[in-house]
């Protein structure tokens, strides 16, 4: 289940080649989650690691984690 969530988020990631030649990535629906690396492969891996940490930290802090349905994200409110 967690693997599917991470994969769905990575499928929604937006990548950009910056002026300095590095890659920047973010998942627009997941506030504060981004990565920057010298290659697109490294950027994707860093984004994946950041996403795992983002999920764990969010759960520890009691934040609402966006739910993924059919690769679309929506915040689950209590």
């Amino acid at each position: 289940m967690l693997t599917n969530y991470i994969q769905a988020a990575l499928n929604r990631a937006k990548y950009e080649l910056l002026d300095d030649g590095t890659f920047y990535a973010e998942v627009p629906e997941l506030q504060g989650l981004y990565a920057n690396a010298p290659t697109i492969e490294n950027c994707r891996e860093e984004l994946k690691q950041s996403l795992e940490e983002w999920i764990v930290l969010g759960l520890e802090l009691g934040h609402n984690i966006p739910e993924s349905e059919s690769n679309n994200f929506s915040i689950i409110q209590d």
Side-chain angles (χ1 to χ4, degrees):
M1 182 173 156
L2 185 57
T3 301
N4 292 341
Y5 184 92
I6 291 170
Q7 188 59 49
L10 292 176
N11 288 342
R12 305 238 348 126
K14 306 294 182 198
Y15 293 87
E16 180 180 348
L17 178 59
L18 301 179
D19 290 339
D20 66 359
T22 64
F23 288 86
Y24 170 83
E26 65 181 2
V27 179
E29 298 86 356
L30 305 180
Q31 184 178 0
L33 177 68
Y34 65 91
N36 182 252
T39 67
I40 198 161
E41 293 86 7
N42 289 81
C43 191
R44 183 173 171 84
E45 185 59 34
E46 187 163 319
L47 186 65
K48 181 180 175 183
Q49 291 173 1
S50 295
L51 176 56
E52 292 169 356
E53 294 169 6
W54 184 91
I55 292 168
V56 171
L57 180 61
L59 292 172
E60 287 176 354
L61 296 175
H63 293 171
N64 292 319
I65 303 297
E67 182 176 299
S68 170
E69 285 188 30
S70 302
N71 292 337
N72 293 314
F73 288 89
S74 60
I75 300 293
I76 299 174
Q77 300 292 333
D78 294 329

